[in-house]
C-alpha cells in the first residue's frame, strides 16, 4: 500500500509546476519586486517554509472571526489559500503510546508538527514513555544550513515554540527556577537545562515573543552557572531586544532574541468574558490597552521575515514558525473578543506570508491549528438554556452572534476539544495539503519541501 509520505515524496519533486503564479498578490507589503526569486550560492531557487500556527484555531474560531469582522459572507485571507483539507490532532498515552489520547495539549500537538512523531500530553519533542529526544524540523533545517526563526505572542518558552527548539519531559519547565518536574534535565544533574536554556543553545537565528521572566532566571549549575539565559545569549553573539519599537531598525547579520513581555503578550482586543446568566445587549469588541514596548504579531512577523530573507542569501533558504497563541489562551478564559482579535491578527500574517511566497517561488506557507477548543456559535434565542456561559457580540452583519463556552464549570478554565481542524496552504508543495491529514504529515511535507532530514 502507498503511504501518505510516499505520496508526498512523489509530489514534491515536481513542485515548480504546482506553483500558482496566477493568484493575485495579497496584502499591502511584499508585492514589490514580485517573482524576484531568491537564489542560493549554487544558483538554484531557495526553499523556504513559513509555518503559521493558530493555537486553538478550530472551525468555530475561524467562523467567529469571519462573522464578527467581515460578516458571514466575507472572506478572510485564510479562506483564499488555494489548497485546504482537514487535520487530525490526537496525541498518545504516556503509559501505552500505541493508544490515542483524543484531546491533545499544545505540547504534544506541536511535537507532532515539529517532529513528525506523536507523543503524550505535556511532553515537548520527547517520545512518550521512553523520553527519547525527537529531532525537530527547525533543528534539521538549521543543520542543513537553513536560517531559522520562531515568533509567538505567548512566552517563547510556551509549548508551541518550545517544541521546535527544545526537548523536555514537561512543558512548564520554562526556566532554570521552574525545573521541579524535570529534574533529569536540570543543569544541577548534568542535564541540558530548561526550555529557555535549550532554546538559546539551539542557535535559532530569530526569536521573538514574551517570556522575559524565564529568560532572566539564574542558571544554577553547569558551564553557564550564575548567568541568565539572556546573558548567555548575549555572550553567544545574540542581539537582545526588549522593546518592540526597535524591530524595524534591526539589521541582518546577527542572531536576535526579542523578549517583549514578562510572560504572554497582551491580546489585541479587550476581554468580553462570557457569563451566566447571559449578558444583556450585544457588544462590539474594543482595542486593548497594550504596553508600548509590546509589538503586534504582525510587526514581529514582518521583522522576522525581513531578517531571515535577507540573511538567507548564500543558504538553501529558511524555516520560520509564527504562532498566534492568544486564540487558545483567551478561549481558556471564555473571552470571545480576545480570541477573535488574535485570529484577525493571524489572518493579517497569512496575507503577508502569501505575498512573500508569491514573490519568492520555492516558499511553502502552511496555516494550521494545534487543537480544537471550546467556543460554539449558538442560537441567541436559546442562550438562557445553555448549560455553559455565553457572550453575545454584534457582528459586521449588524446582528447578534452568541458564543457559548461549556467545557468546564464556570469557575475553572475552559478546555481543549478533540475535533479535526482546517488546514490550508499556498506555494511550493501546497498541493499536497488536501483531504484528511494528520499533524505528523505537516512535518513530512515541510521536510520534503526543504528536502532535508529523516522523513518518517
Ligand atoms: Zn490551551
Amino acid at each position: 500500500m502507498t503511504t501518505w509520505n510516499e505520496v508526498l515524496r512523489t509530489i514534491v519533486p515536481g513542485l515548480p509546476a504546482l506553483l500558482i503564479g496566477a493568484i493575485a498578490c495579497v496584502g499591502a507589503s511584499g508585492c514589490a519586486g514580485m517573482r524576484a526569486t531568491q537564489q542560493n550560492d549554487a544558483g538554484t531557487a531557495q526553499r523556504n517554509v513559513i509555518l503559521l500556527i493558530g493555537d486553538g484555531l478550530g472551525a468555530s474560531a475561524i467562523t467567529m472571526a469571519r462573522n464578527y469582522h467581515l460578516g458571514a459572507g466575507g472572506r478572510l485571507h485564510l479562506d483564499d489559500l488555494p489548497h485546504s483539507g482537514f487535520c487530525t490532532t490526537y496525541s498518545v498515552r504516556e503509559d501505552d503510546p500505541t493508544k490515542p489520547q483524543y484531546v491533545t495539549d499544545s505540547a504534544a500537538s506541536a511535537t507532532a508538527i515539529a517532529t513528525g512523531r506523536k507523543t503524550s500530553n505535556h511532553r515537548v519533542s520527547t517520545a512518550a514513555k521512553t523520553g527519547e529526544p525527537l529531532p525537530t524540523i527547525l533543528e534539521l533545517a538549521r543543520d542543513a544550513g537553513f536560517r531559522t526563526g520562531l515568533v509567538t505572542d505567548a512566552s517563547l518558552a510556551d509549548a508551541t515554540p518550545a517544541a521546535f527548539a527544545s526537548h523536555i519531559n514537561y512543558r512548564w519547565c520554562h526556566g532554570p527556577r521552574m525545573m521541579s518536574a524535570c529534574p533529569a534535565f536540570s543543569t544541577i544533574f548534568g542535564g541540558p537545562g530548561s526550555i529557555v536554556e535549550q532554546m538559546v543553545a539551539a542557535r535559532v537565528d530569530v526569536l521573538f515573543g514574551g517570556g522575559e521572566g524565564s529568560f532572566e532566571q539564574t542558571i544554577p549549575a553547569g558551564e553557564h552557572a550564575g548567568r541568565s539565559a539572556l546573558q548567555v545569549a548575549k555572550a553567544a553573539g545574540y542581539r537582545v531586544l526588549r522593546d518592540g519599537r526597535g524591530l524595524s531598525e534591526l539589521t541582518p547579520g546577527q542572531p536576535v532574541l526579542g523578549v517583549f513581555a514578562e510572560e504572554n503578550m497582551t491580546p489585541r482586543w479587550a476581554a468580553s468574558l462570557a457569563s451566566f446568566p447571559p449578558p444583556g445587549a450585544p457588544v462590539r469588541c474594543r482595542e486593548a490597552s497594550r504596553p508600548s514596548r509590546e509589538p503586534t504579531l504582525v510587526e514581529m512577523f514582518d521583522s522576522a521575515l525581513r531578517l531571515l530573507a535577507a540573511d538567507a542569501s548564500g543558504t538553501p533558504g529558511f524555516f520560520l514558525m509564527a504562532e498566534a497563541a492568544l486564540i487558545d489562551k483567551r478561549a481558556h478564559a471564555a473571552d470571545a473578543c480576545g480570541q477573535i482579535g488574535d485570529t484577525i491578527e493571524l489572518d493579517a500574517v497569512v496575507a503577508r506570508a502569501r505575498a512573500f511566497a508569491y514573490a519568492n517561488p520555492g516558499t511553502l506557507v502552511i496555516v494550521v491549528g494545534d487543537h480544537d477548543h471550546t467556543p460554539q456559535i449558538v442560537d441567541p434565542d436559546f442562550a438562557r438554556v445553555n448549560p455553559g456561559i455565553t457572550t453575545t457580540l454584534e457582528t459586521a452583519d449588524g446582528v447578534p452572534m452568541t458564543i457559548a463556552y461549556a467545557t468546564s464549570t464556570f469557575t475553572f478554565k475552559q478546555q481543549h476539544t478533540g475535533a479535526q481542524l482546517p488546514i490550508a496552504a499556498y506555494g511550493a508543495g501546497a498541493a499536497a495539503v488536501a483531504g484528511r491529514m494528520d499533524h505528523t504529515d505537516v512535518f513530512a511535507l515541510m521536510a520534503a519541501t526543504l528536502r532535508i532530514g529523516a522523513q518518517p
Side-chain angles (χ1 to χ4, degrees):
M1 183 188 285
T2 303
T3 67
W4 170 253
N5 292 324
E6 286 166 346
V7 170
L8 283 178
R9 285 189 207 112
T10 59
I11 291 172
V12 170
L15 284 180
L18 301 171
L19 292 170
I20 307 189
I23 293 170
C25 182
V26 175
S29 67
C31 298
M34 199 172 286
R35 316 301 288 174
T37 308
Q38 295 172 296
Q39 302 283 314
N40 61 23
D41 279 346
T44 56
Q46 292 196 334
R47 309 184 295 280
N48 309 311
V49 167
I50 301 174
L51 171 63
L52 305 178
I53 297 180
D55 200 319
L57 187 71
S60 284
I62 294 168
T63 313
M64 283 163 57
R66 186 190 304 113
N67 286 351
Y68 178 82
H69 197 55
L70 302 170
R75 294 192 71 82
L76 298 163
H77 297 297
L78 175 59
D79 296 328
D80 287 330
L81 296 183
H83 299 283
S84 60
F86 293 98
C87 193
T88 47
T89 68
Y90 63 93
S91 54
V92 296
R93 294 173 180 272
E94 175 71 10
D95 57 348
D96 181 359
T98 66
K99 294 277 197 306
Q101 175 83 37
Y102 293 126
V103 179
T104 187
D105 81 327
S106 293
S109 58
T111 296
I113 296 170
T115 73
R117 298 269 299 275
K118 298 275 188 192
T119 193
S120 57
N121 288 356
H122 312 303
R123 279 193 175 276
V124 175
S125 292
T126 52
K129 203 167 185 178
T130 68
E132 167 202 1
L134 305 171
T136 76
I137 185 75
L138 183 146
E139 293 163 342
L140 294 168
R142 175 201 64 199
D143 293 348
F146 290 81
R147 307 275 299 167
T148 60
L150 296 173
V151 172
T152 181
D153 53 14
S155 165
L156 274 165
D158 206 26
T160 305
F164 288 85
S166 68
H167 306 268
I168 208 157
N169 60 298
Y170 187 59
R171 59 178 291 187
W172 297 111
C173 295
H174 284 192
R177 286 211 310 265
M178 305 164 76
M179 295 297 285
S180 58
C182 310
F185 289 83
S186 170
T187 52
I188 294 172
F189 299 105
S194 63
I195 288 169
V196 296
E197 291 165 78
Q198 292 187 41
M199 196 170 264
V200 167
R203 304 192 328 274
V204 184
D205 296 299
V206 178
L207 291 166
F208 292 150
E212 190 174 43
S214 302
F215 280 93
E216 286 181 327
Q217 292 173 15
T218 303
I219 298 167
E223 67 172 305
H224 302 304
R227 290 193 284 174
S228 69
L230 271 183
Q231 291 168 326
V232 173
K234 270 185 189 162
Y238 273 83
R239 175 163 179 182
V240 172
L241 196 64
R242 297 176 190 242
D243 190 324
R245 287 170 289 196
L247 280 172
S248 60
E249 292 153 22
L250 290 173
T251 51
Q254 183 180 12
V256 57
L257 168 59
V259 281
F260 308 115
E262 176 75 10
E263 179 62 19
N264 299 322
M265 295 170 74
T266 308
R268 174 171 166 173
W269 290 349
S272 60
L273 298 179
S275 64
F276 184 87
V283 298
R284 292 288 295 172
C285 299
R286 295 171 294 106
E287 288 284 329
S289 158
R290 301 165 58 88
S292 58
R293 77 173 179 126
E294 282 190 21
T296 64
L297 184 64
V298 166
E299 289 166 346
M300 291 190 288
F301 176 80
D302 282 351
S303 180
L305 185 58
R306 179 176 63 80
L307 294 170
L308 289 175
D311 269 352
S313 58
T315 76
F318 66 81
F319 168 81
L320 171 60
M321 190 289 293
E323 179 201 23
L326 306 179
I327 303 168
D328 166 83
K329 308 221 179 283
R330 299 321 298 165
H332 282 300
D335 167 14
C337 282
Q339 268 199 271
I340 292 171
D342 205 41
T343 308
I344 297 301
E345 188 77 13
L346 177 66
D347 199 50
V349 170
V350 170
R352 285 162 156 78
R354 176 171 158 164
F356 180 88
Y358 180 70
N360 296 278
T363 303
L364 169 65
V365 178
I366 304 179
V367 189
V368 68
D370 58 351
H371 53 73
D372 196 29
H373 218 304
T374 306
Q376 291 292 314
I377 302 166
V378 300
D379 186 335
D381 293 343
F382 294 91
R384 287 201 163 274
V385 295
N386 191 288
I389 49 180
T390 62
T391 187
T392 300
L393 306 180
E394 184 182 322
T395 69
D397 295 310
V399 298
M401 172 174 67
T402 297
I403 310 295
Y405 294 84
T407 52
S408 84
T409 67
F410 300 176
T411 54
F412 196 69
K413 72 176 190 174
Q414 302 294 320
Q415 299 298 309
H416 301 174
T417 51
Q420 64 192 29
L421 305 173
I423 178 171
Y426 173 79
V433 171
R436 203 281 279 174
M437 304 173 65
D438 183 80
H439 274 155
T440 52
D441 300 320
V442 176
F443 168 85
L445 174 57
M446 295 189 296
T449 302
L450 298 177
R451 297 178 211 146
I452 56 168
Q455 296 164 37

